[in-house]
């Protein structure tokens, strides 16, 4: 069979699945993955109100620290997608080994930092004294097994880039079922007498993640046919690692900037009192569903764009992104409106404090406006990264999130005394501004010609040198 026919067949095996077939398992996978920490919050809300804020703050800090893993994981996903689209598979095992090894070493370093300095980090976030000890213990336990998140993140990118999104959904479902069962045993069941509280929730979270790593490694070897071997590290492939970092640092930079800005905003909210703290946590929890809809569509489109750009079909990638954006906008805005209208009821599931419910309802109204910008950012920025246009989103993120977002949040919430409402208005302004800018960039086609495969001679030379 001619090489071109083989290339077309392999590329179409992922592209022809379409956004929906790739997206719905990703949606459930991400929703379940995020809910692993939120399940702890939900189950603790009926156990101890102080623990809610403690776990919410601990998870915010842990989520930021684990962003370090996305530097390599995100680069791996882009490289694998483009190289599969271009039918260049001979270097995959070396890429897999370098990516997984880097994340494992990095996770050990982060675990040590969390174990030694967790309380200091929490104090920097202005966590109230009554929440500090529980948040500290939760961080130490979950942080001790943070290597599981490093492995899950990298392997998930590999699976998704190969079009195997359904498997990630199944694994996430099993992980959450085990975590819920563990939480029940420690908080309300037979193990309640031990009195671990938030620490018990942390233990069940850790065990569920360890089991997930075992299952994903088995799948990696048997289905993906990938290999993780020390032979690919002798001599160490510094050139390959350099290539991954060159792509991964700016790729992850936009996410790191966003999450760091959110961390600063969380620290600011922590100075506003328990009502603002818990309202923010509940609002983020309820908004997560809307966020995940757009992110799932964006992630599925990212896979298709990566394969399309690898095959040099730029026109298809261009049209696919705009089509996805229209679909994602309709769904996410509709979900945001429903979230706002139902908020008096949904907030009452977590609390009977009328002040929290009233404030939360207004926050959910502002979230409807915020989603216009956020949905556009998720779909287009993920696609830009998949096409190899990785530097611009980071530069834009630093300028907008800090120069507009954080600055406006502080001015409105503190200087003008608008509190949590000012926080949400500031975040919405940042999302809408960035959404307009990246949409214009996509329409102009500035992202074309930035494919990794276009520079195949240099890229392959780097990879061959490492072997």
């Amino acid at each position: 069979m001619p090489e071109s026919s083989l290339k077309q067949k392999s590329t179409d095996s992922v592209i022809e699945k379409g956004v929906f077939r790739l997206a719905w398992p990703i949606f459930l996978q991400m929703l379940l993955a995020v809910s692993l920490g939120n399940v702890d919050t939900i189950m603790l809300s009926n156990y101890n109100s102080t623990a809610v804020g403690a776990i919410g703050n601990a998870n915010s800090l842990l989520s930021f620290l684990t962003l370090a893993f996305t530097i390599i994981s995100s680069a791996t996903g882009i490289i694998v997608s483009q190289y599969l689209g271009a039918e260049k598979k001979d270097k995959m095992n070396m890429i897999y080994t370098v990516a997984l090894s880097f994340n494992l070493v990095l996770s050990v370093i982060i675990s040590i930092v969390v174990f030694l300095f967790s309380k200091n980090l929490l104090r920097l976030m202005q966590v109230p004294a009554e929440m500090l000890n529980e948040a500290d213990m939760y961080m130490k336990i979950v942080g001790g097994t943070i290597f599981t998140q490093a492995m899950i993140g990298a392997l998930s990118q590999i699976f998704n880039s190969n079009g195997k999104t359904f498997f990630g959904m199944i694994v996430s479902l099993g992980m959450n079922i085990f975590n819920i069962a563990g939480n029940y045993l420690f908080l309300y069941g037979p193990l309640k007498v031990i009195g671990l509280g938030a620490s018990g929730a942390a233990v069940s979270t850790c065990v569920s993640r360890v089991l997930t790593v075992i299952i994903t490694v088995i799948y990696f070897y048997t289905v993906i046919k990938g290999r993780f071997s020390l032979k690919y590290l002798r001599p160490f492939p510094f050139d390959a690692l350099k290539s991954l970092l060159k792509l991964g640092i700016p790729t992850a930079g936009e996410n790191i900037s966003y999450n760091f800005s959110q961390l600063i905003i969380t620290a600011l909210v922590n100075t506003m009192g328990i009502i603002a703290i818990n309202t923010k946590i509940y609002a983020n929890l309820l908004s997560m569903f809307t966020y995940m809809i757009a992110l799932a569509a964006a992630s599925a489109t990212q896979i298709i764009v990566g394969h399309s750009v690898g095959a040099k079909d730029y026109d298809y990638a261009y049209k696919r992104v705009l089509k996805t954006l229209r679909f994602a906008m309709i769904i996410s805005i509709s979900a945001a409106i429903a979230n706002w209208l139902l908020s008096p009821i949904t907030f009452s599931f977590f609390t009977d404090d009328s002040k929290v419910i009233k404030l939360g309802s207004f926050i959910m109204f502002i979230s409807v406006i915020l989603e216009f910008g956020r949905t556009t950012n998720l779909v287009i920025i993920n696609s830009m990264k998949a096409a190899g246009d990785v530097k611009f989103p980071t530069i834009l993120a630093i300028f907008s999130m800090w120069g507009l977002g954080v600055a406006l949040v502080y001015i409105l919430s503190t200087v003008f005394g608008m509190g949590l409402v000012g926080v949400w208005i500031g975040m919405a302004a940042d999302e809408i501004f960035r959404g307009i800018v990246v949409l214009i960039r996509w329409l102009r086609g500035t992202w074309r010609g930035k494919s990794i495969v276009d520079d195949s001679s240099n890229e392959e030379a780097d990879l061959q040198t490492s072997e």
Side-chain angles (χ1 to χ4, degrees):
M1 184 179 291
E3 183 180 350
S4 59
S5 298
L6 286 171
K7 180 177 177 180
Q8 183 66 29
K9 181 178 179 181
S10 176
T11 302
D12 287 349
S13 65
V14 172
I15 292 177
E16 287 187 350
K17 287 185 177 182
V19 170
F20 181 75
R21 283 184 61 190
L22 291 171
W24 75 264
I26 293 177
F27 168 72
L28 292 178
Q29 176 187 349
M30 292 188 297
L31 188 63
L32 290 167
V34 171
S35 71
L36 191 61
N38 289 331
V39 161
D40 294 343
T41 300
I42 293 171
M43 298 187 76
L44 282 166
S45 66
N46 293 319
Y47 178 83
N48 186 326
S49 60
T50 302
V52 173
I55 300 308
N57 278 286
N59 277 327
S60 295
L61 189 51
L62 286 170
S63 295
F64 174 73
L65 292 173
T66 55
L67 281 174
F69 305 141
T70 66
I71 293 174
I72 292 296
S73 298
S74 56
T76 302
I78 294 172
I79 290 176
V80 171
S81 290
Q82 288 199 17
Y83 270 72
L84 287 176
E87 284 295 306
K88 296 182 178 182
K89 304 179 182 179
D90 53 319
K91 307 299 177 185
M92 291 303 178
N93 286 332
M94 188 271 293
I95 294 172
Y96 296 155
T97 300
V98 173
L100 293 171
S101 298
F102 183 89
N103 271 5
L104 278 174
V105 173
L106 187 59
S107 68
V108 171
I109 296 173
I110 292 177
S111 290
I112 294 172
V113 171
V114 169
F115 187 80
L116 294 177
F117 304 109
S118 59
K119 187 165 286 188
N120 292 331
L121 293 171
L122 289 165
R123 287 194 179 107
L124 286 175
M125 288 183 61
Q126 305 293 322
V127 174
E130 63 269 23
M131 299 179 181
L132 190 60
N133 288 334
E134 283 189 288
D136 177 53
M137 185 57 65
Y138 185 92
M139 279 192 66
K140 279 184 166 60
I141 296 173
V142 175
T145 56
I146 210 166
F147 74 93
T148 58
Q149 292 170 272
M151 291 291 289
I152 292 170
L155 288 168
S156 293
Q157 286 285 349
I158 291 170
F159 298 156
N160 289 345
S161 296
N162 278 272
K164 309 296 184 182
T165 59
F166 184 78
F167 174 74
M169 178 197 72
I170 297 299
V171 169
S172 293
L173 179 61
M175 182 167 57
N176 274 266
I177 290 174
F178 190 91
N179 185 50
I180 291 171
N183 282 350
Y184 175 79
L185 290 175
F186 282 111
L187 299 178
Y188 307 105
L191 299 181
K192 180 181 178 180
V193 295
I194 301 177
L196 290 180
S199 297
V203 170
S204 63
T205 296
C206 292
V207 174
S208 65
R209 285 175 176 165
V210 169
L211 291 175
T212 299
V213 169
I214 294 172
I215 294 171
T216 53
V217 168
I218 293 173
Y219 187 84
F220 173 71
Y221 271 85
T222 58
V223 178
I224 302 299
K225 305 297 182 183
R227 293 295 178 267
F228 176 83
S229 175
L230 293 178
K231 72 178 182 179
Y232 296 113
L233 302 179
R234 295 194 299 262
F236 189 83
F238 287 105
D239 290 328
L241 178 59
K242 181 181 177 181
S243 297
L244 285 167
L245 290 173
K246 184 178 180 181
L247 178 65
I249 290 175
T251 301
E254 188 263 343
N255 287 331
I256 292 173
S257 178
Y258 174 80
N259 282 273
F260 188 39
S261 68
Q262 291 299 304
L263 201 61
I264 298 300
I265 290 172
T266 297
L268 180 63
V269 173
N270 283 337
T271 66
M272 299 179 184
I274 192 68
I275 291 177
I277 293 173
N278 283 350
T279 300
K280 178 181 180 295
I281 292 171
Y282 298 144
N284 283 338
L285 185 60
L286 292 172
S287 295
M288 193 60 65
F289 179 80
T290 307
Y291 169 75
M292 287 297 173
I293 292 173
L295 185 55
S299 299
T301 305
Q302 181 179 34
I303 296 169
I304 294 175
V305 169
H307 281 258
S308 300
V309 169
K312 295 182 170 35
D313 192 348
Y314 292 101
D315 289 337
Y316 180 82
Y318 175 83
K319 295 174 183 176
R320 177 66 270 176
V321 170
L322 295 181
K323 186 176 180 181
T324 298
L325 181 59
R326 289 193 294 269
F327 165 78
M329 191 68 74
I330 292 171
I331 300 299
S332 62
I333 296 301
S334 298
I337 292 174
N339 230 349
W340 165 49
L341 295 176
L342 294 173
S343 58
I345 299 173
T346 51
F347 268 83
S348 66
F349 292 158
F350 304 111
T351 180
D352 56 1
D353 190 327
S354 60
K355 293 181 179 178
V356 172
I357 295 173
K358 182 178 179 180
L359 177 60
S361 182
F362 192 60
I363 291 299
M364 300 313 294
F365 168 72
I366 301 172
S367 294
V368 175
I369 302 171
L370 182 149
E371 284 303 327
F372 281 97
R374 183 158 67 179
T375 300
T376 304
N377 287 322
L378 289 172
V379 173
I380 295 183
I381 289 177
N382 277 18
S383 298
M384 288 167 61
K385 292 176 182 177
D389 188 9
V390 297
K391 293 181 180 179
F392 182 81
T394 301
I395 296 172
L396 176 63
I398 294 172
F399 171 78
S400 178
M401 293 175 188
W402 296 93
L404 178 62
V406 174
L408 193 58
V409 163
Y410 176 78
I411 292 171
L412 293 178
S413 65
T414 304
V415 178
F416 287 95
M418 297 177 67
L420 197 62
V421 172
V423 170
W424 244 256
I425 293 175
M427 292 192 299
D430 162 51
E431 294 283 2
I432 292 172
F433 173 76
R434 282 188 293 123
I436 293 171
V437 173
V438 296
L439 178 59
I440 292 172
R441 185 174 179 85
W442 187 263
L443 293 174
R444 286 181 175 177
T446 313
W447 51 275
R448 294 174 185 257
K450 297 182 181 292
S451 169
I452 302 161
V453 180
D454 286 342
D455 193 22
S456 58
S457 60
N458 293 334
E459 183 70 24
E460 288 185 13
D462 285 346
L463 297 179
Q464 287 170 356
T465 300
S466 67
E467 295 190 342

